[in-house]
Amino acid sequence: MKNLVKTMRKPNWNFALNAVMTLCMLAIIGIGFLIKHTLLQGQERKTIYGQNIELYLLNMNRHQWGNIHFILGLVFWGLLTLHIFLHWKVITVIYHKIIKAQLAKRILAFGFIIICSILILIPFFITPKIEPIKKGKGRQVTLVTDFNSNLPYLCNVN
């Protein structure tokens, strides 16, 4: 085992890391499509199958697949962090070649860090709007129905 680790060179490790990252990302995408288009949510299920049933694939429903989707996202995030760490020297060299002005480098780096931090942390600081579901009505507003109801208003069509 020790000899195997010694004989594996950096390009081999990079290839293996990139291959695992690719498989992980493809699994994330595939499970996302599975949740969206195969293991349908409530009203879509009822419309297609005529009754409110639960759909399973490999004995897991859409919520369980969603948990796998989330876990794979965390694994991918870890692999991406490792990838960036292993390529940090290349990243900094290219960054310095592309952007010459020191002030611009700092502004862009700081802005990028702020945007990344906001995207990661914002879910922990927002609160969803809470409304009771009216009996027999189910969910009334979706992005599509809300958008379509405002469409004439947005497009100035009467």
Side-chain angles (χ1 to χ4, degrees), residues 14 17-18 82-92:
N14 284 333
L17 177 62
N18 291 340
L82 178 61
H83 181 82
I84 290 170
F85 176 76
L86 293 175
H87 293 87
W88 188 249
K89 191 171 185 174
V90 173
I91 292 167
T92 56

Side-chain angles (χ1 to χ4, degrees), residues 52-93:
N52 197 9
I53 59 169
E54 189 66 59
L55 300 173
Y56 292 91
L57 180 67
L58 301 176
N59 289 326
M60 293 187 291
N61 65 19
R62 70 189 322 267
H63 300 287
Q64 292 164 320
W65 280 104
N67 290 337
I68 293 172
H69 184 77
F70 176 72
I71 291 166
L72 283 172
L74 293 177
V75 169
F76 183 76
W77 188 19
L79 293 171
L80 182 61
T81 302
L82 178 61
H83 181 82
I84 290 170
F85 176 76
L86 293 175
H87 293 87
W88 188 249
K89 191 171 185 174
V90 173
I91 292 167
T92 56
V93 167

Side-chain angles (χ1 to χ4, degrees), residues 5-151:
V5 173
K6 283 185 178 180
T7 58
M8 250 183 116
R9 299 180 186 269
K10 189 174 179 179
N12 295 357
W13 283 108
N14 284 333
F15 180 81
L17 177 62
N18 291 340
V20 172
M21 285 177 62
T22 301
L23 290 174
C24 190
M25 180 52 74
L26 292 173
I28 291 168
I29 293 168
I31 291 172
F33 285 143
L34 176 73
I35 292 168
K36 175 69 177 159
H37 298 291
T38 305
L39 301 173
L40 304 172
Q41 55 188 336
Q43 189 58 40
E44 293 176 53
R45 270 193 324 249
K46 194 171 184 178
T47 302
I48 291 173
Y49 296 103
Q51 55 189 351
N52 197 9
I53 59 169
E54 189 66 59
L55 300 173
Y56 292 91
L57 180 67
L58 301 176
N59 289 326
M60 293 187 291
N61 65 19
R62 70 189 322 267
H63 300 287
Q64 292 164 320
W65 280 104
N67 290 337
I68 293 172
H69 184 77
F70 176 72
I71 291 166
L72 283 172
L74 293 177
V75 169
F76 183 76
W77 188 19
L79 293 171
L80 182 61
T81 302
L82 178 61
H83 181 82
I84 290 170
F85 176 76
L86 293 175
H87 293 87
W88 188 249
K89 191 171 185 174
V90 173
I91 292 167
T92 56
V93 167
I94 292 172
Y95 186 69
H96 291 297
K97 281 185 179 180
I98 292 173
I99 303 161
K100 302 290 184 196
Q102 190 66 25
L103 181 62
K105 287 179 194 176
R106 288 186 179 169
I107 291 171
L108 285 172
F110 183 72
F112 185 75
I113 290 169
I114 294 296
I115 290 169
C116 289
S117 299
I118 288 170
L119 291 173
I120 290 170
L121 297 175
I122 200 160
F124 298 104
F125 296 101
I126 59 173
T127 305
K129 182 179 177 183
I130 301 171
E131 289 185 5
I133 297 175
K134 297 173 186 144
K135 186 170 174 88
K137 297 289 186 182
R139 292 185 201 149
Q140 297 300 305
V141 178
T142 65
L143 180 60
V144 175
T145 57
D146 191 37
F147 177 76
N148 288 338
S149 66
N150 290 323
L151 189 59

